[in-house]
PDB file of all heavy atoms in Angstrom:
ATOM      1  N   SER A   1      14.932   0.538 -58.963  1.00  0.00           N
ATOM      2  CA  SER A   1      14.491   0.319 -60.338  1.00  0.00           C
ATOM      3  C   SER A   1      12.990   0.534 -60.474  1.00  0.00           C
ATOM      4  O   SER A   1      12.249   0.450 -59.498  1.00  0.00           O
ATOM      5  CB  SER A   1      14.785  -1.124 -60.773  1.00  0.00           C
ATOM      6  OG  SER A   1      16.156  -1.377 -60.762  1.00  0.00           O
ATOM      7  N   VAL A   2      12.565   0.777 -61.694  1.00  0.00           N
ATOM      8  CA  VAL A   2      11.141   0.782 -61.996  1.00  0.00           C
ATOM      9  C   VAL A   2      10.746  -0.682 -62.180  1.00  0.00           C
ATOM     10  O   VAL A   2      11.396  -1.416 -62.933  1.00  0.00           O
ATOM     11  CB  VAL A   2      10.829   1.596 -63.265  1.00  0.00           C
ATOM     12  CG1 VAL A   2       9.372   1.441 -63.660  1.00  0.00           C
ATOM     13  CG2 VAL A   2      11.178   3.062 -63.028  1.00  0.00           C
ATOM     14  N   VAL A   3       9.731  -1.101 -61.454  1.00  0.00           N
ATOM     15  CA  VAL A   3       9.271  -2.485 -61.506  1.00  0.00           C
ATOM     16  C   VAL A   3       7.783  -2.511 -61.821  1.00  0.00           C
ATOM     17  O   VAL A   3       7.080  -1.508 -61.680  1.00  0.00           O
ATOM     18  CB  VAL A   3       9.525  -3.230 -60.177  1.00  0.00           C
ATOM     19  CG1 VAL A   3      11.008  -3.215 -59.811  1.00  0.00           C
ATOM     20  CG2 VAL A   3       8.690  -2.652 -59.051  1.00  0.00           C
ATOM     21  N   ALA A   4       7.317  -3.658 -62.233  1.00  0.00           N
ATOM     22  CA  ALA A   4       5.885  -3.901 -62.383  1.00  0.00           C
ATOM     23  C   ALA A   4       5.497  -4.933 -61.333  1.00  0.00           C
ATOM     24  O   ALA A   4       6.271  -5.850 -61.039  1.00  0.00           O
ATOM     25  CB  ALA A   4       5.569  -4.424 -63.779  1.00  0.00           C
ATOM     26  N   TYR A   5       4.318  -4.760 -60.767  1.00  0.00           N
ATOM     27  CA  TYR A   5       3.790  -5.728 -59.810  1.00  0.00           C
ATOM     28  C   TYR A   5       2.396  -6.092 -60.257  1.00  0.00           C
ATOM     29  O   TYR A   5       1.585  -5.213 -60.567  1.00  0.00           O
ATOM     30  CB  TYR A   5       3.755  -5.143 -58.397  1.00  0.00           C
ATOM     31  CG  TYR A   5       3.324  -6.163 -57.369  1.00  0.00           C
ATOM     32  CD1 TYR A   5       4.224  -7.122 -56.905  1.00  0.00           C
ATOM     33  CD2 TYR A   5       2.031  -6.192 -56.879  1.00  0.00           C
ATOM     34  CE1 TYR A   5       3.840  -8.070 -55.973  1.00  0.00           C
ATOM     35  CE2 TYR A   5       1.647  -7.139 -55.953  1.00  0.00           C
ATOM     36  CZ  TYR A   5       2.553  -8.074 -55.494  1.00  0.00           C
ATOM     37  OH  TYR A   5       2.167  -9.020 -54.576  1.00  0.00           O
ATOM     38  N   GLY A   6       2.122  -7.373 -60.312  1.00  0.00           N
ATOM     39  CA  GLY A   6       0.812  -7.827 -60.737  1.00  0.00           C
ATOM     40  C   GLY A   6       0.241  -8.843 -59.791  1.00  0.00           C
ATOM     41  O   GLY A   6       0.964  -9.639 -59.185  1.00  0.00           O
ATOM     42  N   ALA A   7      -1.066  -8.810 -59.645  1.00  0.00           N
ATOM     43  CA  ALA A   7      -1.811  -9.797 -58.875  1.00  0.00           C
ATOM     44  C   ALA A   7      -3.137 -10.013 -59.591  1.00  0.00           C
ATOM     45  O   ALA A   7      -3.598  -9.145 -60.345  1.00  0.00           O
ATOM     46  CB  ALA A   7      -2.029  -9.327 -57.441  1.00  0.00           C
ATOM     47  N   ASP A   8      -3.755 -11.166 -59.358  1.00  0.00           N
ATOM     48  CA  ASP A   8      -5.007 -11.475 -60.038  1.00  0.00           C
ATOM     49  C   ASP A   8      -5.744 -12.586 -59.317  1.00  0.00           C
ATOM     50  O   ASP A   8      -5.261 -13.130 -58.333  1.00  0.00           O
ATOM     51  CB  ASP A   8      -4.729 -11.895 -61.489  1.00  0.00           C
ATOM     52  CG  ASP A   8      -3.817 -13.106 -61.579  1.00  0.00           C
ATOM     53  OD1 ASP A   8      -4.191 -14.190 -61.064  1.00  0.00           O
ATOM     54  OD2 ASP A   8      -2.727 -12.984 -62.164  1.00  0.00           O
ATOM     55  N   ASN A   9      -6.917 -12.904 -59.836  1.00  0.00           N
ATOM     56  CA  ASN A   9      -7.672 -14.056 -59.348  1.00  0.00           C
ATOM     57  C   ASN A   9      -7.940 -15.026 -60.493  1.00  0.00           C
ATOM     58  O   ASN A   9      -8.869 -15.823 -60.437  1.00  0.00           O
ATOM     59  CB  ASN A   9      -8.979 -13.621 -58.679  1.00  0.00           C
ATOM     60  CG  ASN A   9     -10.022 -13.156 -59.674  1.00  0.00           C
ATOM     61  OD1 ASN A   9      -9.708 -12.813 -60.818  1.00  0.00           O
ATOM     62  ND2 ASN A   9     -11.278 -13.132 -59.256  1.00  0.00           N
ATOM     63  N   LEU A  10      -7.141 -14.977 -61.521  1.00  0.00           N
ATOM     64  CA  LEU A  10      -7.351 -15.788 -62.714  1.00  0.00           C
ATOM     65  C   LEU A  10      -7.224 -17.275 -62.394  1.00  0.00           C
ATOM     66  O   LEU A  10      -6.260 -17.701 -61.773  1.00  0.00           O
ATOM     67  CB  LEU A  10      -6.351 -15.403 -63.804  1.00  0.00           C
ATOM     68  CG  LEU A  10      -6.380 -13.932 -64.214  1.00  0.00           C
ATOM     69  CD1 LEU A  10      -5.282 -13.643 -65.221  1.00  0.00           C
ATOM     70  CD2 LEU A  10      -7.734 -13.548 -64.756  1.00  0.00           C
ATOM     71  N   GLY A  11      -8.215 -18.016 -62.815  1.00  0.00           N
ATOM     72  CA  GLY A  11      -8.181 -19.459 -62.639  1.00  0.00           C
ATOM     73  C   GLY A  11      -8.506 -19.951 -61.247  1.00  0.00           C
ATOM     74  O   GLY A  11      -8.486 -21.141 -60.998  1.00  0.00           O
ATOM     75  N   GLY A  12      -8.829 -19.070 -60.338  1.00  0.00           N
ATOM     76  CA  GLY A  12      -9.132 -19.492 -58.974  1.00  0.00           C
ATOM     77  C   GLY A  12     -10.624 -19.666 -58.743  1.00  0.00           C
ATOM     78  O   GLY A  12     -11.448 -19.186 -59.507  1.00  0.00           O
ATOM     79  N   ARG A  13     -10.949 -20.359 -57.688  1.00  0.00           N
ATOM     80  CA  ARG A  13     -12.361 -20.553 -57.348  1.00  0.00           C
ATOM     81  C   ARG A  13     -13.053 -19.226 -57.058  1.00  0.00           C
ATOM     82  O   ARG A  13     -14.227 -19.071 -57.317  1.00  0.00           O
ATOM     83  CB  ARG A  13     -12.488 -21.470 -56.132  1.00  0.00           C
ATOM     84  CG  ARG A  13     -12.177 -22.910 -56.459  1.00  0.00           C
ATOM     85  CD  ARG A  13     -12.300 -23.743 -55.229  1.00  0.00           C
ATOM     86  NE  ARG A  13     -11.165 -23.381 -54.377  1.00  0.00           N
ATOM     87  CZ  ARG A  13     -11.058 -23.678 -53.109  1.00  0.00           C
ATOM     88  NH1 ARG A  13     -12.002 -24.335 -52.495  1.00  0.00           N
ATOM     89  NH2 ARG A  13     -10.003 -23.333 -52.419  1.00  0.00           N
ATOM     90  N   GLU A  14     -12.303 -18.274 -56.535  1.00  0.00           N
ATOM     91  CA  GLU A  14     -12.890 -16.975 -56.197  1.00  0.00           C
ATOM     92  C   GLU A  14     -13.261 -16.163 -57.430  1.00  0.00           C
ATOM     93  O   GLU A  14     -13.830 -15.096 -57.324  1.00  0.00           O
ATOM     94  CB  GLU A  14     -11.943 -16.177 -55.290  1.00  0.00           C
ATOM     95  CG  GLU A  14     -10.648 -15.746 -55.950  1.00  0.00           C
ATOM     96  CD  GLU A  14      -9.527 -16.779 -55.931  1.00  0.00           C
ATOM     97  OE1 GLU A  14      -9.761 -17.941 -55.588  1.00  0.00           O
ATOM     98  OE2 GLU A  14      -8.394 -16.415 -56.276  1.00  0.00           O
ATOM     99  N   ALA A  15     -12.955 -16.655 -58.624  1.00  0.00           N
ATOM    100  CA  ALA A  15     -13.236 -15.921 -59.854  1.00  0.00           C
ATOM    101  C   ALA A  15     -14.673 -16.119 -60.338  1.00  0.00           C
ATOM    102  O   ALA A  15     -15.017 -15.645 -61.409  1.00  0.00           O
ATOM    103  CB  ALA A  15     -12.262 -16.333 -60.947  1.00  0.00           C
ATOM    104  N   ALA A  16     -15.526 -16.790 -59.559  1.00  0.00           N
ATOM    105  CA  ALA A  16     -16.894 -17.068 -59.999  1.00  0.00           C
ATOM    106  C   ALA A  16     -17.659 -15.792 -60.359  1.00  0.00           C
ATOM    107  O   ALA A  16     -18.490 -15.799 -61.252  1.00  0.00           O
ATOM    108  CB  ALA A  16     -17.642 -17.842 -58.921  1.00  0.00           C
ATOM    109  N   GLY A  17     -17.379 -14.680 -59.707  1.00  0.00           N
ATOM    110  CA  GLY A  17     -18.054 -13.425 -59.994  1.00  0.00           C
ATOM    111  C   GLY A  17     -17.366 -12.602 -61.067  1.00  0.00           C
ATOM    112  O   GLY A  17     -17.784 -11.490 -61.363  1.00  0.00           O
ATOM    113  N   GLY A  18     -16.332 -13.130 -61.647  1.00  0.00           N
ATOM    114  CA  GLY A  18     -15.583 -12.419 -62.674  1.00  0.00           C
ATOM    115  C   GLY A  18     -14.103 -12.442 -62.362  1.00  0.00           C
ATOM    116  O   GLY A  18     -13.690 -12.480 -61.209  1.00  0.00           O
ATOM    117  N   GLU A  19     -13.321 -12.449 -63.396  1.00  0.00           N
ATOM    118  CA  GLU A  19     -11.872 -12.473 -63.225  1.00  0.00           C
ATOM    119  C   GLU A  19     -11.315 -11.056 -63.304  1.00  0.00           C
ATOM    120  O   GLU A  19     -11.885 -10.198 -63.962  1.00  0.00           O
ATOM    121  CB  GLU A  19     -11.240 -13.351 -64.308  1.00  0.00           C
ATOM    122  CG  GLU A  19     -11.652 -14.801 -64.192  1.00  0.00           C
ATOM    123  CD  GLU A  19     -11.087 -15.662 -65.299  1.00  0.00           C
ATOM    124  OE1 GLU A  19     -10.975 -15.172 -66.448  1.00  0.00           O
ATOM    125  OE2 GLU A  19     -10.760 -16.813 -65.019  1.00  0.00           O
ATOM    126  N   TRP A  20     -10.203 -10.832 -62.631  1.00  0.00           N
ATOM    127  CA  TRP A  20      -9.569  -9.525 -62.655  1.00  0.00           C
ATOM    128  C   TRP A  20      -8.056  -9.687 -62.580  1.00  0.00           C
ATOM    129  O   TRP A  20      -7.546 -10.683 -62.093  1.00  0.00           O
ATOM    130  CB  TRP A  20     -10.066  -8.632 -61.520  1.00  0.00           C
ATOM    131  CG  TRP A  20      -9.840  -9.198 -60.146  1.00  0.00           C
ATOM    132  CD1 TRP A  20     -10.736  -9.928 -59.400  1.00  0.00           C
ATOM    133  CD2 TRP A  20      -8.647  -9.102 -59.351  1.00  0.00           C
ATOM    134  NE1 TRP A  20     -10.160 -10.286 -58.207  1.00  0.00           N
ATOM    135  CE2 TRP A  20      -8.888  -9.791 -58.146  1.00  0.00           C
ATOM    136  CE3 TRP A  20      -7.410  -8.511 -59.554  1.00  0.00           C
ATOM    137  CZ2 TRP A  20      -7.936  -9.895 -57.139  1.00  0.00           C
ATOM    138  CZ3 TRP A  20      -6.446  -8.619 -58.550  1.00  0.00           C
ATOM    139  CH2 TRP A  20      -6.723  -9.299 -57.354  1.00  0.00           C
ATOM    140  N   SER A  21      -7.373  -8.677 -63.068  1.00  0.00           N
ATOM    141  CA  SER A  21      -5.927  -8.574 -62.886  1.00  0.00           C
ATOM    142  C   SER A  21      -5.581  -7.106 -62.688  1.00  0.00           C
ATOM    143  O   SER A  21      -6.230  -6.222 -63.249  1.00  0.00           O
ATOM    144  CB  SER A  21      -5.159  -9.175 -64.067  1.00  0.00           C
ATOM    145  OG  SER A  21      -5.377  -8.411 -65.228  1.00  0.00           O
ATOM    146  N   VAL A  22      -4.588  -6.880 -61.871  1.00  0.00           N
ATOM    147  CA  VAL A  22      -4.125  -5.532 -61.556  1.00  0.00           C
ATOM    148  C   VAL A  22      -2.624  -5.494 -61.793  1.00  0.00           C
ATOM    149  O   VAL A  22      -1.911  -6.425 -61.435  1.00  0.00           O
ATOM    150  CB  VAL A  22      -4.418  -5.176 -60.076  1.00  0.00           C
ATOM    151  CG1 VAL A  22      -3.750  -3.862 -59.687  1.00  0.00           C
ATOM    152  CG2 VAL A  22      -5.905  -5.123 -59.818  1.00  0.00           C
ATOM    153  N   GLN A  23      -2.167  -4.424 -62.422  1.00  0.00           N
ATOM    154  CA  GLN A  23      -0.735  -4.209 -62.588  1.00  0.00           C
ATOM    155  C   GLN A  23      -0.412  -2.787 -62.154  1.00  0.00           C
ATOM    156  O   GLN A  23      -1.091  -1.845 -62.543  1.00  0.00           O
ATOM    157  CB  GLN A  23      -0.300  -4.398 -64.033  1.00  0.00           C
ATOM    158  CG  GLN A  23       1.178  -4.119 -64.235  1.00  0.00           C
ATOM    159  CD  GLN A  23       1.611  -4.340 -65.664  1.00  0.00           C
ATOM    160  OE1 GLN A  23       1.537  -5.446 -66.151  1.00  0.00           O
ATOM    161  NE2 GLN A  23       2.063  -3.286 -66.316  1.00  0.00           N
ATOM    162  N   LEU A  24       0.618  -2.660 -61.332  1.00  0.00           N
ATOM    163  CA  LEU A  24       1.123  -1.355 -60.910  1.00  0.00           C
ATOM    164  C   LEU A  24       2.551  -1.237 -61.413  1.00  0.00           C
ATOM    165  O   LEU A  24       3.299  -2.214 -61.385  1.00  0.00           O
ATOM    166  CB  LEU A  24       1.163  -1.239 -59.385  1.00  0.00           C
ATOM    167  CG  LEU A  24      -0.152  -1.366 -58.641  1.00  0.00           C
ATOM    168  CD1 LEU A  24      -0.336  -2.775 -58.162  1.00  0.00           C
ATOM    169  CD2 LEU A  24      -0.146  -0.417 -57.487  1.00  0.00           C
ATOM    170  N   VAL A  25       2.934  -0.065 -61.837  1.00  0.00           N
ATOM    171  CA  VAL A  25       4.303   0.190 -62.277  1.00  0.00           C
ATOM    172  C   VAL A  25       4.800   1.411 -61.523  1.00  0.00           C
ATOM    173  O   VAL A  25       4.112   2.429 -61.439  1.00  0.00           O
ATOM    174  CB  VAL A  25       4.372   0.434 -63.803  1.00  0.00           C
ATOM    175  CG1 VAL A  25       5.789   0.794 -64.222  1.00  0.00           C
ATOM    176  CG2 VAL A  25       3.874  -0.785 -64.554  1.00  0.00           C
ATOM    177  N   GLY A  26       5.987   1.286 -60.960  1.00  0.00           N
ATOM    178  CA  GLY A  26       6.543   2.416 -60.240  1.00  0.00           C
ATOM    179  C   GLY A  26       7.933   2.123 -59.715  1.00  0.00           C
ATOM    180  O   GLY A  26       8.463   1.016 -59.861  1.00  0.00           O
ATOM    181  N   LEU A  27       8.509   3.125 -59.093  1.00  0.00           N
ATOM    182  CA  LEU A  27       9.849   3.018 -58.525  1.00  0.00           C
ATOM    183  C   LEU A  27       9.786   2.199 -57.246  1.00  0.00           C
ATOM    184  O   LEU A  27       8.912   2.398 -56.405  1.00  0.00           O
ATOM    185  CB  LEU A  27      10.409   4.411 -58.234  1.00  0.00           C
ATOM    186  CG  LEU A  27      11.845   4.459 -57.739  1.00  0.00           C
ATOM    187  CD1 LEU A  27      12.804   3.889 -58.782  1.00  0.00           C
ATOM    188  CD2 LEU A  27      12.232   5.885 -57.401  1.00  0.00           C
ATOM    189  N   CYS A  28      10.737   1.299 -57.088  1.00  0.00           N
ATOM    190  CA  CYS A  28      10.795   0.406 -55.935  1.00  0.00           C
ATOM    191  C   CYS A  28      11.944   0.833 -55.025  1.00  0.00           C
ATOM    192  O   CYS A  28      13.040   1.163 -55.509  1.00  0.00           O
ATOM    193  CB  CYS A  28      11.005  -1.021 -56.419  1.00  0.00           C
ATOM    194  SG  CYS A  28      11.001  -2.253 -55.116  1.00  0.00           S
ATOM    195  N   GLU A  29      11.685   0.817 -53.727  1.00  0.00           N
ATOM    196  CA  GLU A  29      12.731   1.154 -52.773  1.00  0.00           C
ATOM    197  C   GLU A  29      12.637   0.240 -51.555  1.00  0.00           C
ATOM    198  O   GLU A  29      11.560  -0.265 -51.235  1.00  0.00           O
ATOM    199  CB  GLU A  29      12.641   2.616 -52.349  1.00  0.00           C
ATOM    200  CG  GLU A  29      11.339   2.986 -51.675  1.00  0.00           C
ATOM    201  CD  GLU A  29      11.238   4.472 -51.361  1.00  0.00           C
ATOM    202  OE1 GLU A  29      12.261   5.153 -51.227  1.00  0.00           O
ATOM    203  OE2 GLU A  29      10.112   4.939 -51.243  1.00  0.00           O
ATOM    204  N   ALA A  30      13.762   0.017 -50.910  1.00  0.00           N
ATOM    205  CA  ALA A  30      13.785  -0.761 -49.677  1.00  0.00           C
ATOM    206  C   ALA A  30      13.209   0.096 -48.555  1.00  0.00           C
ATOM    207  O   ALA A  30      13.436   1.319 -48.522  1.00  0.00           O
ATOM    208  CB  ALA A  30      15.215  -1.181 -49.343  1.00  0.00           C
ATOM    209  N   VAL A  31      12.460  -0.531 -47.665  1.00  0.00           N
ATOM    210  CA  VAL A  31      11.862   0.196 -46.543  1.00  0.00           C
ATOM    211  C   VAL A  31      11.961  -0.637 -45.272  1.00  0.00           C
ATOM    212  O   VAL A  31      12.148  -1.848 -45.314  1.00  0.00           O
ATOM    213  CB  VAL A  31      10.377   0.552 -46.799  1.00  0.00           C
ATOM    214  CG1 VAL A  31      10.234   1.534 -47.940  1.00  0.00           C
ATOM    215  CG2 VAL A  31       9.539  -0.683 -47.028  1.00  0.00           C
ATOM    216  N   ARG A  32      11.797   0.055 -44.179  1.00  0.00           N
ATOM    217  CA  ARG A  32      11.651  -0.604 -42.881  1.00  0.00           C
ATOM    218  C   ARG A  32      10.202  -0.367 -42.465  1.00  0.00           C
ATOM    219  O   ARG A  32       9.824   0.761 -42.133  1.00  0.00           O
ATOM    220  CB  ARG A  32      12.611  -0.007 -41.870  1.00  0.00           C
ATOM    221  CG  ARG A  32      12.530  -0.677 -40.543  1.00  0.00           C
ATOM    222  CD  ARG A  32      13.444  -0.011 -39.529  1.00  0.00           C
ATOM    223  NE  ARG A  32      13.341  -0.726 -38.288  1.00  0.00           N
ATOM    224  CZ  ARG A  32      14.362  -1.260 -37.655  1.00  0.00           C
ATOM    225  NH1 ARG A  32      15.565  -1.116 -38.132  1.00  0.00           N
ATOM    226  NH2 ARG A  32      14.175  -1.905 -36.535  1.00  0.00           N
ATOM    227  N   PRO A  33       9.369  -1.411 -42.486  1.00  0.00           N
ATOM    228  CA  PRO A  33       7.952  -1.217 -42.165  1.00  0.00           C
ATOM    229  C   PRO A  33       7.751  -0.865 -40.697  1.00  0.00           C
ATOM    230  O   PRO A  33       8.554  -1.235 -39.835  1.00  0.00           O
ATOM    231  CB  PRO A  33       7.303  -2.565 -42.484  1.00  0.00           C
ATOM    232  CG  PRO A  33       8.385  -3.485 -42.865  1.00  0.00           C
ATOM    233  CD  PRO A  33       9.683  -2.768 -42.841  1.00  0.00           C
ATOM    234  N   SER A  34       6.661  -0.147 -40.450  1.00  0.00           N
ATOM    235  CA  SER A  34       6.288   0.171 -39.071  1.00  0.00           C
ATOM    236  C   SER A  34       5.776  -1.096 -38.392  1.00  0.00           C
ATOM    237  O   SER A  34       5.484  -2.107 -39.053  1.00  0.00           O
ATOM    238  CB  SER A  34       5.187   1.241 -39.066  1.00  0.00           C
ATOM    239  OG  SER A  34       3.980   0.681 -39.581  1.00  0.00           O
ATOM    240  N   ASP A  35       5.635  -1.046 -37.088  1.00  0.00           N
ATOM    241  CA  ASP A  35       5.084  -2.189 -36.352  1.00  0.00           C
ATOM    242  C   ASP A  35       3.685  -2.530 -36.846  1.00  0.00           C
ATOM    243  O   ASP A  35       3.342  -3.702 -36.985  1.00  0.00           O
ATOM    244  CB  ASP A  35       5.059  -1.908 -34.852  1.00  0.00           C
ATOM    245  CG  ASP A  35       6.461  -1.854 -34.234  1.00  0.00           C
ATOM    246  OD1 ASP A  35       7.418  -2.368 -34.871  1.00  0.00           O
ATOM    247  OD2 ASP A  35       6.599  -1.301 -33.130  1.00  0.00           O
ATOM    248  N   GLY A  36       2.883  -1.511 -37.136  1.00  0.00           N
ATOM    249  CA  GLY A  36       1.531  -1.742 -37.647  1.00  0.00           C
ATOM    250  C   GLY A  36       1.545  -2.420 -39.009  1.00  0.00           C
ATOM    251  O   GLY A  36       0.717  -3.294 -39.283  1.00  0.00           O
ATOM    252  N   GLU A  37       2.468  -2.019 -39.859  1.00  0.00           N
ATOM    253  CA  GLU A  37       2.582  -2.639 -41.180  1.00  0.00           C
ATOM    254  C   GLU A  37       3.030  -4.094 -41.061  1.00  0.00           C
ATOM    255  O   GLU A  37       2.531  -4.976 -41.765  1.00  0.00           O
ATOM    256  CB  GLU A  37       3.530  -1.832 -42.065  1.00  0.00           C
ATOM    257  CG  GLU A  37       2.948  -0.484 -42.448  1.00  0.00           C
ATOM    258  CD  GLU A  37       3.962   0.490 -43.004  1.00  0.00           C
ATOM    259  OE1 GLU A  37       5.191   0.281 -42.846  1.00  0.00           O
ATOM    260  OE2 GLU A  37       3.528   1.486 -43.605  1.00  0.00           O
ATOM    261  N   LEU A  38       3.952  -4.363 -40.134  1.00  0.00           N
ATOM    262  CA  LEU A  38       4.386  -5.742 -39.926  1.00  0.00           C
ATOM    263  C   LEU A  38       3.220  -6.619 -39.477  1.00  0.00           C
ATOM    264  O   LEU A  38       3.099  -7.771 -39.903  1.00  0.00           O
ATOM    265  CB  LEU A  38       5.522  -5.800 -38.904  1.00  0.00           C
ATOM    266  CG  LEU A  38       6.864  -5.252 -39.390  1.00  0.00           C
ATOM    267  CD1 LEU A  38       7.864  -5.171 -38.233  1.00  0.00           C
ATOM    268  CD2 LEU A  38       7.417  -6.095 -40.519  1.00  0.00           C
ATOM    269  N   LEU A  39       2.341  -6.060 -38.642  1.00  0.00           N
ATOM    270  CA  LEU A  39       1.149  -6.810 -38.223  1.00  0.00           C
ATOM    271  C   LEU A  39       0.251  -7.119 -39.411  1.00  0.00           C
ATOM    272  O   LEU A  39      -0.322  -8.207 -39.498  1.00  0.00           O
ATOM    273  CB  LEU A  39       0.368  -6.041 -37.165  1.00  0.00           C
ATOM    274  CG  LEU A  39       0.977  -6.028 -35.764  1.00  0.00           C
ATOM    275  CD1 LEU A  39       0.193  -5.082 -34.853  1.00  0.00           C
ATOM    276  CD2 LEU A  39       1.022  -7.430 -35.183  1.00  0.00           C
ATOM    277  N   LEU A  40       0.123  -6.172 -40.337  1.00  0.00           N
ATOM    278  CA  LEU A  40      -0.698  -6.398 -41.524  1.00  0.00           C
ATOM    279  C   LEU A  40      -0.127  -7.528 -42.391  1.00  0.00           C
ATOM    280  O   LEU A  40      -0.881  -8.284 -43.007  1.00  0.00           O
ATOM    281  CB  LEU A  40      -0.820  -5.124 -42.355  1.00  0.00           C
ATOM    282  CG  LEU A  40      -1.656  -3.994 -41.755  1.00  0.00           C
ATOM    283  CD1 LEU A  40      -1.553  -2.739 -42.618  1.00  0.00           C
ATOM    284  CD2 LEU A  40      -3.100  -4.429 -41.606  1.00  0.00           C
ATOM    285  N   PHE A  41       1.183  -7.644 -42.442  1.00  0.00           N
ATOM    286  CA  PHE A  41       1.798  -8.721 -43.212  1.00  0.00           C
ATOM    287  C   PHE A  41       1.496 -10.089 -42.603  1.00  0.00           C
ATOM    288  O   PHE A  41       1.414 -11.077 -43.307  1.00  0.00           O
ATOM    289  CB  PHE A  41       3.324  -8.548 -43.305  1.00  0.00           C
ATOM    290  CG  PHE A  41       3.776  -7.696 -44.446  1.00  0.00           C
ATOM    291  CD1 PHE A  41       4.361  -6.466 -44.216  1.00  0.00           C
ATOM    292  CD2 PHE A  41       3.654  -8.131 -45.756  1.00  0.00           C
ATOM    293  CE1 PHE A  41       4.809  -5.675 -45.263  1.00  0.00           C
ATOM    294  CE2 PHE A  41       4.097  -7.350 -46.813  1.00  0.00           C
ATOM    295  CZ  PHE A  41       4.672  -6.126 -46.563  1.00  0.00           C
TER     296      PHE A  41
END
């Protein structure tokens, strides 16, 4: 499906330098991450 994903720093202590929000929209698919990607998680 086409999904939207959003993240932000709204209302957090880290927002002292300004607040932001990001939204991405795109096709979502199941994946098997590489070992390196699993380490990043």
Side-chain angles (χ1 to χ4, degrees):
S1 297
V2 173
V3 302
Y5 185 78
D8 59 61
N9 73 341
L10 303 176
R13 287 179 289 165
E14 67 275 11
E19 295 177 324
W20 59 265
S21 67
V22 171
Q23 178 179 297
L24 299 96
V25 176
L27 185 62
C28 183
E29 61 184 336
V31 294
R32 182 183 181 124
S34 69
D35 291 342
E37 291 165 344
L38 289 172
L39 285 173
L40 290 173
F41 273 113

